[in-house]
Amino acid sequence: MLLEINKLYKSFKQADHGKIDVLKNINLEIHEGETVAVVGQSGSGKSTLLSLMAGLDRQTTGSLRLRDKEISEMSEANLTQFRAKNIGIIFQQFYLMPHLTALENVSLPLEMFGYEDYIFRAKEALEHVSLSDREKHFPNQLSGGESQRVAIARAIVTRPSILLADEPTGNLDNETGIQVANLLFDLVKTTGMTMLLVTHNTEMAGRCSRQMTLQYGTFQ
Amino acid sequence: MKKPYSFFWSKLALKELLNNRRFSIFFLFNLALGLAGFIALDSFKESLDIHLGKNSQAILGADLALTSYVPIDDKTLGNLESIFPENTMSTQKISLFTMVASKKRSVLVQVTGIGEKYPFYGKMVLRESGKVIPEMVLQNLDFKKDAWIYPELLLMLNINEGENIDIGETSFRVIDSVIDDPSSSMSSFGFAPRIYLGLNKIEETGLLSKKSRVSYQYLYRFPKGTELKVLVENLRGKIQKFDDSFSKIRVRTHKRAANSLGRVLGYLNDYLGLIALIAVFLAGIGAAYLFRNYLVHRFQEMSILMSLGATRQQTYRMVLWQLVFLGTAAALISIIFSLGILPLLELLLENFLPRGFETNVNLSSLVFALILGSIGSLVFCLPVLTRIHSVQPLMLLRKNNGNHGSETLILRQTLSYFPLIILSWILSVWQSQSFIVGSAFVGMLFCSVLLLGSMSWIILMFAGKLSQTSGNTIKRLAFRNLQRNRAGAISCFVALSLGTLLINLIPQIYQGLQEEISRPADFRIPSLFLFDIQTEQIEPLKNLLADNKMNLNYISPMVRARLEKVNGRKYKSDFNEGLSTRERQREQGFRMRTLNLSYRTKLSDSENIVEGRKLAGNYDWNSDMPAEVSLEERFAERMGLKLGDFLEFNVHEVPISAKVINLRKVKWNSFQPNFFILFQPGVLDDAPATYLASMGGLDRLERMNYQNLIVQEYPNISVIDVTRTVERILKISDQMVLALRFMAYLSIMAGLVVVFSIARHEVQGRLWELNLLKVLGAKFNDIQKMIQIEFAILGICAGLFGVGVSLIMSYGIAWWFFENLWKWTWQTSLASVIGVTTLSVIVAWIATRKTLKSSPLNLLRSS
Ligand SMILES: Nc1ncnc2c1ncn2[C@@H]1O[C@H](COP(=O)(O)OP(=O)(O)O)[C@@H](O)[C@H]1O
Ligand SMILES: [Mg+2]
């Protein structure tokens, strides 16, 4: 079992001292090589769930185990290392470093951890997303679709155990969105990577091996 | 997992800086400008120290000098010299102050008799004959009645070389003028020009016995490798055991001589340093503001890095790297700037500089600049840096991340200001070389920043209110913008008002001083001041003047004495070589002095009793009671004496005990003969005394005539032309003020750079908003007007408050240090309010012009 979520709750304190329960009793198991889509309306808690899985936030109660490690029990420092090694994240807004070239953006996580072959591996990753000819371009010289492809290359370059994508095509027009989605699914298929995809695009969700619908904070 | 190779983070940091070129350039320029004055001053100081250190032997003319106010007899001298190494060379020098007269004029000079070997180090250069060698002293000065004089005396006495002058009872021929000599290294600063005579010829003037103070100096040159320190200690040990007046022999090393020469300039430097520190401070405010905006824009990138596996420490360190990069670079640039400022400083301080002095940028100043640049920018930006703690990669998944100011954050924020305060404190104590002045300075600085900061806060609240009621849309928007961008507005306000404060403070204090020195309230400054009048000369002098319808005022006796015991215990001047601060140095000098005692039947109108009762009338020698004395208040404080203390004086070897009955306050700027210690009449009447007196109400010609008249008749009496001296003091202090103001202008420049960068930044941050206004129909002029109103309000408020606080402060300073010498010069105040407002509007206009002109088309381009 790669990921195991058990009775997960998440609530936020409000300014008026009340609290809202965003996630209630979430249970989920993801096996190696699976692709899981989480769909739901805006505000249903999808991003919150993803942030817990990525260890970017902590749950209120419940357990969340990745590769048999309880994420909530890790120290901040350990978690950072663990995340860098095991989790790749793709954001809706791409979030590339504006002052680094495409290649530098991709090699960044490798360089940060001292891989010697970082250039080679980054180039390889860029090839996977068919952007070899854009190595030296800065983010403001890339289109939205290209930017997201660079972001995908950056997420997979460390060969993480699981890829978490939060509405990766949400900021793209339909056609480009489809191209990026094709690329993403191709990559996942050829590498056999595990992926959790948050989307409200039903067509994209349909291409995953499993679909979960989040409503009012729980899976329906 | 492995570690990244060592330069990874710094490389990344540098890349980010290069990418944010505009921020980097402004940050650099701003900081460099602030540092430049400081660095220039440091180089200047350092050069001065090096110069004095290198030339210390030439300044004294010897390795060591023994100074005494009575000639040291052969036995005593032999005793002291017995510990000197073999092959020690010795020579002698005698100096006193006296009048010299030509046929037409007379002036106060310092007459110095020199032995043939003087000086051992350095050189004495004559205009005609060049460098002085021992034969010249022997053949001219010692053999004939020849004199070498300072060139300015030719003019003052209206004579040519070859003519004769009268010194005491003897006439001397001026054969050459001195263009360089050892101790005159501080150019025209000395008030009495010098005349050199032969050592044996000075005796023939007949002045040695008639002068109240003659200094006998015995100069020595030791063989190479002599341990001065040990010698000095041994000498002092021996001297302490002498009982009579020889126990007052002073041992001076060449190092000490150089130190005291540098002291005047040292003081000025200290204050210049403090003002330069304000420039650094203002630049720091600007830097912190710029950095704050930069940092806020970096938050997203930091989050990305953290989501990719960077730890918080690593991102933190990266930002620190950036600050260190920038600070170091700024320091390097400031060194280049300071090269431009140094010659200016030299020009401004010309009159105070030793001859042959050259300023150079020293290695130590360079290192200091780099340290101050890097550490300083870290310390200044620390309060901003604490915000990094609120960065969460989680925000990448959210649109708005609410940033709750938790209590730990507020605590951290508060704590983060401490390094800044401590650094400023250390710097200013170090700059002023005085714990008290430095601390007072930092205290005042932070109080005024706090005060001005909270005032601007109130103004902004008020602007907020106005924005709701004021009719015109443009005005309303201007008010609202001010209120919305508080950090920017407050930084601008503080920077501008602090600059204004400074520029006003210096002349404001000086004005009062100047006013008082030249025209003290209720007093008429005497025109001439006479001293060294012998007892038997009093009556004839009075008669002589009466014949010329002139009065002699304030005739006061002066008796020299030493303080031996206080309350039965020996009075110690606690001697110690390693003097640290200026206060201690001054105090030390003070305690070692020989004292002048006087007595008078009633107090003069320039003094009044502040504590204790009036002194009793004539002393009764038959009573067992000690004599009654009155002390000047501040003198008592510095000597550590209190009301009721029993003092024992040694008056020409006669012990006289006295009790402190009252403390007096004296208006010294009345220029009347006043004394620290006044006895009741009847105690000192028979002690050998010389008299002081003054004459008033004379114009230039009369002053000259009376001087000539007195000197012709009584060559031993010295006359000081008070009017001329006051003019001279004012001229010199004018120059000091000019130098101080120069530094103050540098600091307002730093303030304007802050305004420039803030204005520019604000407008860029609001670009889409401004463009939207244009799309909605606002004209270019309207928008420009809006910006101008904003900065005009800032300028006016900053100017007004800056001036206001400077008035309060200068009043406080005047009250505290100068006893209420205060006068409001409204012209300066008005000019600076108008100036600051105009400048701030203009600077804002320049900073925003280009951005404001940009086309609203950009709205469609950027997402
Ligand atoms: N830090 C927070 N504090 C309070 N409420 C939050 C916070 N983060 C998210 N929420 C709330 O949680 C709910 C789910 O948000 P999110 O997970 O972003 O939804 P989705 O990604 O499905 O659109 C929303 O109602 C949002 O307002
Ligand atoms: Mg979402």
Side-chain angles (χ1 to χ4, degrees), chain B residues 571-612:
Chain B
Y571 184 71
K572 285 277 277 184
S573 52
D574 18 76
F575 204 88
N576 134 10
E577 271 285 313
L579 294 168
S580 44
T581 62
R582 300 262 188 235
E583 280 93 10
R584 291 210 45 204
Q585 284 172 359
R586 198 169 45 197
E587 190 153 321
Q588 186 84 71
F590 213 79
R591 289 183 170 216
M592 302 215 320
R593 289 227 294 246
T594 315
L595 303 169
N596 294 320
L597 315 179
S598 186
Y599 52 93
R600 47 177 65 151
T601 40
K602 75 182 199 338
L603 293 185
S604 80
D605 48 4
S606 56
E607 57 190 350
N608 63 294
I609 295 173
V610 290
E611 216 184 321

Side-chain angles (χ1 to χ4, degrees), chain B residues 292-311:
Chain B
R292 174 178 165 275
N293 288 311
Y294 168 75
L295 197 63
V296 168
H297 286 110
R298 296 279 79 66
F299 279 179
Q300 190 175 50
E301 283 153 46
M302 287 182 205
S303 303
I304 298 173
L305 279 176
M306 278 155 84
S307 78
L308 292 177
T311 61

Side-chain angles (χ1 to χ4, degrees), chain A residues 141-156:
Chain A
Q141 296 166 317
L142 300 173
S143 73
E146 288 163 340
S147 294
Q148 191 60 302
R149 273 147 67 192
V150 173
I152 291 170
R154 186 179 65 184
I156 59 164

Side-chain angles (χ1 to χ4, degrees), chain B residues 652-686:
Chain B
H652 295 268
E653 306 312 318
V654 179
I656 289 184
S657 35
K659 186 182 173 191
V660 181
I661 296 298
N662 69 46
L663 298 180
R664 271 171 306 133
K665 200 183 194 86
V666 172
K667 277 223 157 213
W668 292 104
N669 62 330
S670 66
F671 287 96
Q672 291 171 3
N674 272 306
F675 297 87
F676 288 136
I677 306 171
L678 281 181
F679 267 74
Q680 75 184 114
V683 186
L684 299 173
D685 296 29
D686 295 328

Side-chain angles (χ1 to χ4, degrees), chain B residues 124-283:
Chain B
M124 186 134 109
V125 182
L126 304 179
R127 178 149 49 204
E128 300 272 313
S129 322
K131 190 168 181 266
V132 171
I133 48 172
E135 287 73 45
M136 285 161 70
V137 179
L138 277 176
Q139 282 163 17
N140 298 310
L141 299 192
D142 245 13
F143 192 63
K144 297 177 265 181
K145 286 178 188 164
D146 282 349
W148 297 332
I149 69 175
Y150 272 19
E152 60 259 41
L153 278 173
L154 292 174
L155 206 72
M156 292 163 89
L157 289 167
N158 195 9
I159 52 167
N160 289 312
E161 277 161 21
E163 289 184 43
N164 278 6
I165 49 173
D166 295 330
I167 307 175
E169 296 154 2
T170 315
S171 179
F172 289 84
R173 201 166 76 96
V174 175
I175 58 161
D176 215 334
S177 45
V178 180
I179 50 178
D180 196 3
D181 65 348
S183 44
S184 80
S185 306
M186 204 64 91
S187 52
S188 62
F189 198 65
F191 284 94
R194 189 175 293 168
I195 294 182
Y196 285 102
L197 306 177
L199 195 57
N200 52 1
K201 293 289 176 286
I202 197 170
E203 281 171 36
E204 293 177 24
T205 60
L207 292 171
L208 295 187
S209 56
K210 285 196 180 131
K211 282 291 169 185
S212 56
R213 188 184 276 253
V214 179
S215 133
Y216 297 85
Q217 225 173 37
Y218 301 81
L219 300 155
Y220 299 95
R221 178 190 181 137
F222 300 121
K224 272 217 170 77
T226 308
E227 260 307 323
L228 263 185
K229 234 180 153 170
V230 185
L231 264 184
V232 169
E233 259 166 47
N234 288 342
L235 279 175
R236 293 215 170 107
K238 274 175 176 283
I239 290 167
Q240 244 170 20
K241 286 192 204 107
F242 295 153
D243 32 30
D244 39 26
S245 39
F246 292 138
S247 68
K248 283 283 164 179
I249 293 174
R250 296 218 306 195
V251 184
R252 250 160 90 89
T253 60
H254 59 92
K255 290 221 175 73
R256 239 173 149 22
N259 276 344
S260 54
L261 189 65
R263 199 161 300 156
V264 183
L265 200 55
Y267 273 118
L268 185 59
N269 258 336
D270 296 347
Y271 288 102
L272 284 175
L274 287 182
I275 295 178
L277 204 60
I278 294 189
V280 174
F281 194 80
L282 288 181

Side-chain angles (χ1 to χ4, degrees), chain A:
Chain A
M1 193 76 58
L2 184 66
L3 184 80
E4 201 176 348
I5 295 176
N6 228 323
K7 293 189 189 126
L8 190 74
Y9 284 82
K10 175 71 185 171
S11 49
F12 288 106
K13 284 207 184 73
Q14 293 292 85
D16 56 6
H17 300 292
K19 59 166 192 161
I20 48 166
D21 302 314
V22 178
L23 296 178
K24 289 169 273 190
N25 196 17
I26 299 281
N27 295 291
L28 178 67
E29 287 179 354
I30 299 179
H31 297 269
E32 203 115 10
E34 254 192 313
T35 52
V36 179
V38 174
V39 292
Q41 285 178 337
S42 174
S44 57
K46 305 184 296 291
S47 292
T48 305
L49 178 62
L50 193 108
S51 72
L52 293 179
M53 288 167 143
L56 295 175
D57 203 357
R58 307 236 176 203
Q59 68 263 38
T60 312
T61 59
S63 108
L64 205 155
R65 302 171 74 82
L66 183 65
R67 284 197 177 281
D68 289 328
K69 287 237 171 64
E70 180 61 52
I71 287 184
S72 61
E73 280 168 7
M74 276 188 244
S75 72
E76 166 119 17
N78 286 342
L79 188 60
T80 307
Q81 292 247 319
F82 185 78
R83 187 193 304 135
K85 199 173 173 190
N86 293 298
I87 304 171
I89 312 172
I90 300 168
F91 302 99
Q92 186 176 349
Q93 287 92 349
F94 330 136
Y95 290 132
L96 298 178
M97 299 288 278
H99 57 278
L100 299 182
T101 62
L103 184 67
E104 286 169 331
N105 258 294
V106 176
S107 68
L108 190 62
L110 297 172
E111 277 188 84
M112 219 159 14
F113 289 96
Y115 288 93
E116 262 142 36
D117 54 349
Y118 64 93
I119 294 184
F120 174 77
R121 280 172 66 173
K123 281 189 172 175
E124 199 181 47
L126 270 182
E127 220 168 282
H128 283 315
V129 296
S130 325
L131 279 178
S132 297
D133 52 336
R134 296 304 194 111
E135 277 178 10
K136 296 222 163 63
H137 288 215
F138 283 95
N140 61 4
Q141 296 166 317
L142 300 173
S143 73
E146 288 163 340
S147 294
Q148 191 60 302
R149 273 147 67 192
V150 173
I152 291 170
R154 186 179 65 184
I156 59 164
V157 76
T158 53
R159 295 176 196 141
S161 324
I162 187 166
L163 196 59
L164 303 176
D166 189 8
E167 305 194 25
T169 58
N171 258 14
L172 303 172
D173 60 80
N174 245 335
E175 203 154 318
T176 320
I178 291 167
Q179 283 170 13
V180 169
N182 286 343
L183 179 93
L184 188 60
F185 279 107
D186 283 353
L187 265 177
V188 169
K189 200 180 221 167
T190 52
T191 55
M193 213 181 303
T194 317
M195 175 167 77
L196 183 126
L197 175 72
V198 166
T199 181
H200 45 218
N201 181 327
T202 41
E203 199 265 333
M204 244 179 112
R207 294 171 71 171
C208 291
S209 54
R210 194 145 53 103
Q211 273 190 51
M212 312 285 295
T213 307
L214 200 58
Q215 202 172 11
Y216 306 124
T218 57
F219 287 129
Q220 285 324 109

